Amino acid sequence: MTRQMTGAKMVVQALKDQGVDTVFGYPGGAVLPVYDEIFQQNDIKHVLVRHEQAAIHAAEGYARSTGKPGVALVTSGPGATNAVTGLTDALLDSIPLVVFSGQVPTFMIGTDGFQEADTIGITRPCTKHNWLVKDTDKLSETIHQAFHVATSGRPGPVLIDLPKDVQFADGEYTPPAKAKVSHYQPRVKASIEEITDLVALIEKAERPVFYTGGGVINSGPGASQLLRELVDATGFPITSTLMGLGAYPASGKGWLGMLGMHGLYEANMAMHGCDLMINIGARFDDRITGRIQDFSPNSTKVHVDIDPSSINKIIRVDLPVIGDVGHVLEDVLKVWKSRGRKVADTSAWWEQIEEWRKVRCLTYKPSETVIKPQYALERLEALTKGMDRYVTTEVGQHQMWAAQFLNFEDPNRWMTSGGLGTMGYGFPASIGVQLAHPESLVINVAGEASWLMNMQEMGTAMQYRAPVKQFILNNERLGMVRQWQQLLHGERYSSSWSESLPDFVKLAEAFGAKGIQCSDPKDLDDAIMEMINYDGPVIFDCLVEKHENCFPMIPSGKAHNEMLLGDASVEGAIKSDGAVLV
Amino acid sequence: MSALRIQQGSTSHSAYDLRDYHAEVIEKHTLAVLVDNEAGVLARVIGLFSGRGYNIESLTVAEVNHQSHLSRITVVTTGTRDVIEQIKAQVGRIVPVHEVHDLTVEGPSIERELALFKVEGTGNNRIEALRLAEIFRANVVDSTLESFVFEMTGTSEKIDAFAELMRPLGLVETARTGVAALARGSHI
Ligand SMILES: Cc1ncc(C[n+]2csc(CCOP(=O)(O)OP(=O)(O)O)c2C)c(N)n1
Ligand SMILES: [Mg+2]
């Protein structure tokens, strides 16, 4: 069943056939034919953002909270170049996106035509793959292939560049079922030898730790379920990267908290001291490993990953297991059960972990007069616990505090820019999440500086009635930069002030949204409840302590057992060797 | 460990291999990469090398199967064993890449390069150049009264050696194709 239609119509038809319901985009000359088709149908909702970067982040938020690929549409030239940051963000965090960009007509390519950019060249290194479609007959197959590539193997963003004449021309539409099968079929099942070897290691380990990452979440809710089963059945402790929070519930008995540069003391010490490390869907990022030479010196390391290039890229592992996390966990459970569910005695290990926990590394100095950012998040957590809640963040101290102080019980509930660390991610992402989950509470935990980077999206939030809550921890500082300058650059605070900030309440009101400001800890609970209960977008300007530092912290180039503990150590909460404090 | 069972040089598995780990030794490997012959595919491969800081010593590319639109890229690269493994894994995950073969570890292979040398000279130098060309089985493909163009195929080392000899005899210009390589034997 093939049909003749214009390229522009094909785009819309292919999106429908791929089950797409929402497209984030911004029009321009080179994509007008597609916009014309969007106008003439009602199945696909187009969300007009206010900047193309936001279209990509919104699509990321949509994708990460639903597990479906996010779709965005931008025009040629500046539309495409504005999308580059978002594409790079999605590439580093393995978020499936299909992005369409307009292009000058094929006969003008290479002539420096109006709004021409070498979009394929520019986006080649920041997409998983990209295509310039020059022939309308090939367009629909290319789109189906794009969805396949974006979502299979290690997910990622892909881009299709659409010259305007290709959108106008007629061609034959191929439905997904008729499309050629792609040779791109990454292996999802690990070999039985790999599985059996992993099970044998599980059976013998005395000081094991699961180290999980975003790959578990990308593998789908089933993978998180299997992870919970395996962790609880073995009784092993588990820590997770920033990207993997929620795959295992924060209330679970094996949970150690997040690891890494601002991870929990017990999590990092467990990584350092374990005899078996089982990395599932994480990639030994430098924010996780600290100094490579001293990374977990005495452990046997297993790495489960769908991407072979992640294996031995940074840390040499003893047992690579190449496959999809869900498939691998299923097989491991099967084999482990069939061999009698054996585990060694890990009680001494747990006792050690309990000792580390006593450090209470998240301790901070409370205050009666100023709102501590940690306190603000503790209250936000307490007041939203159990709600149908999604959280996005910007990038900075607030992001790390959010990871430390908010608890996630389920996957796909936590959206943050991990790999690229993109300030400006959180607000548009929150809109993408909210549009996918209209009835849920969606909060963007923001820093004032990051939030300003995409503040134009207030217009989008208002237009689409996305009642996103912008919870800004306003320290009037580029806080994370200031912290590094304090600790590493002799307290020379070079350009880390947030000068000339807007009045956030008036700003909200200017867009027709609600603004709330809070500066007194005593008012905080009521203010947060007011934010939650308001039916519409809210900018919550939470004036917090300006010079708070985020601890624990492994300074760059230090090892896991060289964490700075900050107030927890100042308070004398740590009784053991001071060597760990540096 | 199952790593023991991972075929050396296999790309469907991991970058893992069990040979001794000498982090500092720089090795030279010849990789054969089969790719879809689509626009930009070479840029993808080269972009990966430059973007991730890998070396390219030599690179050749041409379509080898017209029906299935497959091209073969032969790239000679250098790096530590870890880097070579990483290169193979990174190249292997480029979407239009079908296969990556490390000819240096997958068994015996043959490597050939074609070169053209322009040598200017008269008198004894000219005679000596011609004599050496004969020894090296280089063909004369163009000649004037003051110059020859020699054509030669062989390993890169042989071509290097010939170029070295021609230099004092009036070598003025060289063109080389870069390495093409195939595994020996009947298997593919
Ligand atoms: C686009 C971008 N530019 C610069 C940085 C570097 N950077 C990381 S955190 C940070 C400060 C963020 O300030 P704010 O949003 O107020 O958060 P805070 O750390 O104060 O909580 C900066 C500038 C970045 N991550 N992203
Ligand atoms: Mg700030």
Side-chain angles (χ1 to χ4, degrees), chain A residues 395-398 421-423 447-450 453 475 477-481:
Chain A
V395 171
Q397 290 179 315
H398 62 278
T422 312
M423 293 170 67
E448 81 294 338
S450 297
M453 284 207 177
N475 52 11
R477 300 289 181 278
L478 313 185
M480 189 58 94
V481 173

Side-chain angles (χ1 to χ4, degrees), chain A residues 130 193 197 307 316-317, chain B residues 1-2 5 16 44 82 93:
Chain A
N130 60 15
E193 289 86 1
D197 287 348
D307 178 1
R316 275 187 87 81
V317 296
Chain B
M1 297 280 137
S2 59
R5 288 181 283 268
Y16 192 79
R44 274 177 220 289
D82 279 1
R93 73 182 189 143

Side-chain angles (χ1 to χ4, degrees), chain A residues 53 85 373 394-401 420-424 446-453 472-483 495-496 498 544 546:
Chain A
Q53 182 190 354
T85 301
E394 302 288 347
V395 171
Q397 290 179 315
H398 62 278
Q399 176 190 30
M400 294 297 116
W401 282 316
L420 195 64
T422 312
M423 293 170 67
E448 81 294 338
S450 297
W451 193 83
L452 289 175
M453 284 207 177
I472 301 176
L473 297 177
N474 184 353
N475 52 11
E476 297 173 20
R477 300 289 181 278
L478 313 185
M480 189 58 94
V481 173
R482 188 204 54 74
Q483 174 167 347
S495 297
S496 54
S498 286
V544 296
K546 301 185 202 317

Side-chain angles (χ1 to χ4, degrees), chain A residues 303-488:
Chain A
H303 189 176
V304 179
D305 204 303
I306 199 162
D307 178 1
S309 77
S310 288
I311 307 291
N312 293 335
K313 183 171 68 177
I314 293 154
I315 299 290
R316 275 187 87 81
V317 296
D318 302 283
L319 176 62
V321 180
I322 308 294
D324 168 60
V325 168
H327 285 85
V328 170
L329 287 173
E330 191 180 355
D331 291 346
V332 166
L333 271 162
K334 228 182 268 166
V335 173
W336 180 68
K337 286 176 186 168
S338 74
R339 286 166 52 131
R341 297 169 158 266
K342 285 186 287 239
V343 280
D345 180 11
T346 56
S347 56
W349 179 229
W350 273 109
E351 272 165 37
Q352 171 66 75
I353 290 170
E354 288 310 325
E355 282 303 307
W356 287 327
R357 276 183 170 157
K358 284 183 195 151
V359 167
R360 300 204 355 269
C361 67
L362 295 183
T363 306
Y364 62 93
K365 269 203 193 88
S367 164
E368 305 233 306
T369 50
V370 283
I371 300 176
K372 289 294 189 118
Q374 301 95 324
Y375 177 73
L377 288 163
E378 276 179 340
R379 295 316 302 156
L380 184 69
E381 170 66 18
L383 296 169
T384 60
K385 201 178 170 64
M387 288 184 180
D388 174 13
R389 178 190 80 178
Y390 293 82
V391 177
T392 67
T393 78
E394 302 288 347
V395 171
Q397 290 179 315
H398 62 278
Q399 176 190 30
M400 294 297 116
W401 282 316
Q404 293 171 341
F405 287 89
L406 301 181
N407 293 327
F408 296 93
E409 296 296 313
D410 294 300
N412 305 97
R413 296 276 171 168
W414 162 252
M415 283 37 65
T416 192
S417 171
L420 195 64
T422 312
M423 293 170 67
Y425 165 88
F427 183 15
S430 72
I431 295 173
V433 174
Q434 185 79 76
L435 293 174
H437 309 275
E439 305 303 322
S440 307
L441 173 63
V442 180
I443 304 168
N444 174 33
V445 176
E448 81 294 338
S450 297
W451 193 83
L452 289 175
M453 284 207 177
N454 269 321
M455 59 161 271
Q456 77 285 346
E457 295 309 312
M458 280 306 290
T460 313
M462 289 307 296
Q463 181 181 346
Y464 296 93
R465 300 175 197 284
V468 287
K469 314 302 180 202
Q470 303 304 311
F471 193 68
I472 301 176
L473 297 177
N474 184 353
N475 52 11
E476 297 173 20
R477 300 289 181 278
L478 313 185
M480 189 58 94
V481 173
R482 188 204 54 74
Q483 174 167 347
W484 281 54
Q485 289 171 334
Q486 183 188 341
L487 299 176
L488 304 162

